[in-house]
Amino acid sequence: MEKKKIGIDARVLQQPITGVGNNIIQIIKEIRKIDKTIDFILFFSKEPLCSAIEEIGDLSKVVIPVQKSFIWEQLKLPMAIKKHQIDIYHAPWNAGLPFRKICKCVVTIHDLIPLEIGNYFESWRSKLIYKIRMSLSGKRSDKIITDSNYSKEKIVEYLNVSEDKIIVAGNAVSNIFHPIKDLKILDKIKEKYDLETKFLLYVGGFDPRKNVDILIKSFNYYLQQTRRSDLKLVMVGAKNDYYLKL
């Protein structure tokens, strides 16, 4: 039986791994459990830094050495898709599908928060370009994957695509996330991070679209209303300019 080939825009794996990159890796792992006849071809614009790729095992890496996104996506990528005879191409981070359709295409649109937040972009031109890219990806894709029913509603509203085209599927999660029952390990972590009380845990990036400022205000409001002193808010993520403003 001839193997099917799935191509994936893996440029996000050229940097230290984040949520989208981890999602790509876990999706490949899970699909391989179901169907071992599929070949995965990952497309990059430079050599990837993410060591987690090695966990996936045997796959093909194709580097298209162009740094300008438009040229990479619209000129060089279609040629690479045709050359490698890709059956299905997946753009896993909101946009990036070629205007010229070479094969069946799937795009994952995690959310449209940048379009919902009025001041997310520095200029109206940036917002317009973003919306055009998203609209074209939505319309040219054969299927759209999104994380939630809320995002599905917003995709229909903002991008004017049929809801029948959209599949709601939660992000793939590594099996390293599981309850820890060893009390010695738990005590060690609590001591290291000064977690003597109960706590709520936030794990993610610090960005306006993450609503971290609302989380902090809501948590403080809850403490004021309940007069609790036995609860902390613990936030895990890389420090950046937005973090320093919180």
Side-chain angles (χ1 to χ4, degrees), residues 193-195 197-204 206 215 219 231-237:
Y193 295 104
D194 189 25
L195 301 174
T197 62
K198 294 180 179 180
F199 59 91
L200 298 178
L201 180 65
Y202 167 81
V203 180
F206 295 106
L215 170 63
F219 180 74
L231 191 64
K232 284 185 177 181
L233 175 61
V234 177
M235 298 190 295
V236 179

Side-chain angles (χ1 to χ4, degrees), residues 134-153:
M134 299 299 290
S135 296
L136 287 173
S137 290
K139 287 179 170 58
R140 291 180 181 276
S141 63
D142 293 282
K143 288 292 181 182
I144 299 171
I145 301 172
T146 193
D147 304 343
S148 66
N149 285 313
Y150 176 84
S151 290
K152 178 179 179 178
E153 292 173 5

Side-chain angles (χ1 to χ4, degrees), residues 112-117 127 131 134-135 139 150-161:
L112 289 177
I113 293 174
L115 295 180
E116 296 181 66
I117 299 176
K127 185 173 183 177
K131 186 170 184 179
M134 299 299 290
S135 296
K139 287 179 170 58
Y150 176 84
S151 290
K152 178 179 179 178
E153 292 173 5
K154 293 302 173 183
I155 291 168
V156 172
E157 176 185 343
Y158 281 95
L159 305 186
N160 193 28
V161 298

Side-chain angles (χ1 to χ4, degrees), residues 79-103:
M79 291 189 288
I81 289 175
K82 189 173 183 179
K83 177 183 177 181
H84 293 278
Q85 300 180 321
I86 302 299
D87 295 296
I88 302 173
Y89 182 73
H90 181 201
W93 47 322
N94 290 8
L97 290 183
F99 298 157
R100 181 161 61 98
K101 193 170 181 180
I102 308 296
C103 64

Side-chain angles (χ1 to χ4, degrees), residues 206-207 212 216 235 237-246:
F206 295 106
D207 183 279
V212 180
I216 294 172
M235 298 190 295
K239 291 183 179 180
N240 56 18
D241 291 341
Y242 182 75
Y243 168 85
L244 297 175
K245 294 176 184 178
L246 292 172

Side-chain angles (χ1 to χ4, degrees), residues 23-225:
N23 190 43
I24 293 171
I25 290 170
Q26 300 308 322
I27 285 174
I28 294 174
K29 285 182 177 180
E30 293 304 313
I31 290 178
R32 279 186 165 169
K33 290 179 183 178
I34 301 168
D35 190 341
K36 298 185 184 300
T37 67
I38 294 175
D39 277 343
F40 288 93
I41 295 89
L42 304 189
F43 293 95
F44 302 90
S45 61
K46 60 183 180 181
E47 284 295 330
L49 295 176
C50 180
S51 60
I53 297 174
E54 307 305 323
E55 299 175 14
I56 305 173
D58 184 37
L59 50 73
S60 299
K61 293 183 284 186
V62 176
V63 177
I64 306 171
V66 176
Q67 299 310 309
K68 289 189 178 295
S69 292
F70 182 84
I71 295 175
W72 192 92
E73 293 168 3
Q74 306 306 329
L75 299 180
K76 299 297 184 180
L77 177 62
M79 291 189 288
I81 289 175
K82 189 173 183 179
K83 177 183 177 181
H84 293 278
Q85 300 180 321
I86 302 299
D87 295 296
I88 302 173
Y89 182 73
H90 181 201
W93 47 322
N94 290 8
L97 290 183
F99 298 157
R100 181 161 61 98
K101 193 170 181 180
I102 308 296
C103 64
K104 289 186 177 180
C105 295
V106 177
V107 62
T108 295
I109 299 177
H110 294 281
D111 59 63
L112 289 177
I113 293 174
L115 295 180
E116 296 181 66
I117 299 176
N119 60 350
Y120 187 83
F121 294 97
E122 293 182 359
S123 69
W124 64 268
R125 185 178 286 105
S126 297
K127 185 173 183 177
L128 179 61
I129 292 172
Y130 178 86
K131 186 170 184 179
I132 290 173
R133 289 188 73 216
M134 299 299 290
S135 296
L136 287 173
S137 290
K139 287 179 170 58
R140 291 180 181 276
S141 63
D142 293 282
K143 288 292 181 182
I144 299 171
I145 301 172
T146 193
D147 304 343
S148 66
N149 285 313
Y150 176 84
S151 290
K152 178 179 179 178
E153 292 173 5
K154 293 302 173 183
I155 291 168
V156 172
E157 176 185 343
Y158 281 95
L159 305 186
N160 193 28
V161 298
S162 170
E163 64 177 26
D164 295 334
K165 197 181 202 180
I166 305 171
I167 299 170
V168 176
N171 288 325
V173 180
S174 171
N175 58 13
I176 65 170
F177 295 101
H178 61 274
I180 295 176
K181 298 179 180 179
D182 188 327
L183 294 180
K184 290 183 179 179
I185 295 176
L186 294 175
D187 288 340
K188 187 176 180 180
I189 295 297
K190 286 181 179 180
E191 181 180 352
K192 181 177 180 179
Y193 295 104
D194 189 25
L195 301 174
E196 296 179 359
T197 62
K198 294 180 179 180
F199 59 91
L200 298 178
L201 180 65
Y202 167 81
V203 180
F206 295 106
D207 183 279
R209 62 191 173 87
K210 299 291 187 179
N211 274 338
V212 180
D213 56 336
I214 301 299
L215 170 63
I216 294 172
K217 290 176 183 177
S218 300
F219 180 74
N220 286 331
Y221 178 78
Y222 172 77
L223 293 183
Q224 291 170 6
Q225 294 299 307

